[in-house]
Amino acid sequence: MKRQLRLDLGLILILSSVRVEADSNHVVALPLDVVSVAGPSWKRHVIDDSSKGADGVKLGDLNDDGRLDIVTGWEEGGEVRVYLNPGPRRAQEPWPRVTVGEVASPEDAVFADLDGDGRLDVLSCTEGVTRTVYWHRFRGDSQDLLKPDQWSTTAFPATRNAQQWMQALALDLDGQHGPDVVLASKGENASVGWLQSPMRVADPGAWTFHVLRDAGWIMSLIQQDMDGDGDMDILFSDRKGPRTGVFWLENPGTVANRHHAPWREQALGGLGREVMFADIADVNCDGLMDVAVAVKPRDILVCLRKPDGGWSEQVLTLDGTNIGNAKAVKIADVNGDGWPDLLFTCEGATGEREGIVWLERQPHGPWLQRPLGGPAGVKFDLMQTLDLYGDGDLDVITCEERDGLGVIWYENPSPRF
């Protein structure tokens, strides 16, 4: 439980920044119009730019110091790295790092304590020709975290050469032997499924994989109790294939999962569209959790939860004059006014096009599309928001994999807003 609280800290920080004081009878309507305005770009700081193809950033407290650290897979560089958060005084410098494993084409990397030793390890998903999920385990003492030779890399045989693995999250589904691993992939034979933890947890060969749903190309994979029954369901976005859109799979419960019962699928929105990375938080301040997803070419689809449990869709179309194509969206109050804003990353942001912008939520009037990253960078990815500089506002962590920016963070200049 202590370890799970550390992993969830990033989500708690984000949700605590979103105002949830209006009830369902006093909800402020979500603006639909977007107006582009000029403004300064945020100052960019490099965490690491020494490898190639940084592809995603996930958070967890690896060294138990109360600060969230970062794990990233470098797709072209063939490395999985962890970055220790140095705290506000040194956050603007390159962060201390360690390569926890060398694998070909890592697409995603996440922190997880699978063996129950109270210490986070790392899972990596690979696509390309590798198509395997790996477990990177730390073998040393706490003072040796930054020593590569203290980390070992082992494949889960049940995943070897099986699918182009894209996303992973650790989640106990059957109530026995500790966390299981939910996995998602793309391409031929793609699926959403789970690796079931065995009695011999430390033996990767004893883990078994079970398919929950066929897929085309899964982008987001998020754990969330969607129906309020006390267990974690799976929210996901699928951008390719015959059933594109945002969906969730209903967890049938621990006992049912031991017998591999089916999970009922429910659609949220974006059906038939090319949906990218999604996020979940309360967007319209009614106390209910909503879902926002970036949609090709330059839309943000907001799926608003209704009090009766249903969903309604609203679409925000960004000004595409000077930005790339949709990649990810993040819900966070970045200007500290108590209203949730929207962050948006792009791919294909060539030339003077921007690869990351933010939409300021106004209580009345349109969303204001503001600069954030400037023209540097071509292909951005997932975002995380944390107060890295210690000044009380949320900064933005992301990565860029085409123009060599690497793993980076943008310093929030909110006093100027």
Side-chain angles (χ1 to χ4, degrees), residues 191-215:
S191 68
V192 178
W194 61 296
L195 271 176
Q196 186 174 18
S197 61
M199 184 176 296
R200 304 188 313 277
V201 172
D203 177 10
W207 292 64
T208 54
F209 182 70
H210 310 283
V211 174
L212 297 177
R213 180 213 195 251
D214 293 337

Side-chain angles (χ1 to χ4, degrees), residues 127 172 198 216 335 345 413:
E127 51 165 341
D172 187 0
N335 61 354
T345 59

Side-chain angles (χ1 to χ4, degrees), residues 242-257:
R243 291 184 296 163
T244 64
V246 183
F247 306 87
W248 66 279
L249 293 171
E250 183 179 348
N251 190 336
T254 56
V255 175
N257 285 326

Side-chain angles (χ1 to χ4, degrees), residues 301-323:
L301 173 67
V302 181
C303 301
L304 296 172
R305 189 67 179 263
K306 297 190 292 187
D308 64 3
W311 299 85
S312 64
E313 293 185 34
Q314 296 190 350
V315 178
L316 311 178
T317 298
L318 279 69
D319 178 2
T321 306
N322 198 37
I323 64 173

Side-chain angles (χ1 to χ4, degrees), residues 152-219:
S152 66
T153 297
T154 309
F156 287 99
T159 71
R160 192 185 295 276
N161 300 318
Q163 300 178 40
Q164 295 189 71
W165 303 107
M166 299 295 289
Q167 298 288 332
L169 60 87
L171 181 62
D172 187 0
L173 298 181
D174 58 9
Q176 55 187 4
H177 314 315
D180 307 292
V181 180
V182 182
L183 295 172
S185 59
K186 74 173 186 181
E188 186 179 1
N189 300 320
S191 68
V192 178
W194 61 296
L195 271 176
Q196 186 174 18
S197 61
M199 184 176 296
R200 304 188 313 277
V201 172
D203 177 10
W207 292 64
T208 54
F209 182 70
H210 310 283
V211 174
L212 297 177
R213 180 213 195 251
D214 293 337
W217 183 337
I218 300 298
M219 295 296 291

Side-chain angles (χ1 to χ4, degrees), residues 76 251 279 288 368:
E76 282 74 36
N251 190 336
D279 193 24
L288 301 174
L368 301 181

Side-chain angles (χ1 to χ4, degrees), residues 17-40:
S17 70
V18 175
R19 189 160 97 181
V20 186
E21 57 186 49
D23 61 33
S24 59
N25 296 318
H26 300 87
V27 177
V28 177
L30 195 69
L32 295 180
D33 295 330
V34 178
V35 176
S36 184
V37 297

Side-chain angles (χ1 to χ4, degrees), residues 2 14 31 68 74 77 79 82 110 122 131 142 183 216 230 250 256-257 259 263 310 321 335 339 349-350 364 414:
K2 181 179 178 182
I14 294 168
L68 290 177
W74 292 82
E79 298 173 289
V82 166
V110 298
V122 172
R131 304 185 180 197
S142 57
L183 295 172
E250 183 179 348
N257 285 326
H259 300 283
W263 290 42
T321 306
N335 61 354
W339 294 97
T350 55
H364 307 286
S414 61

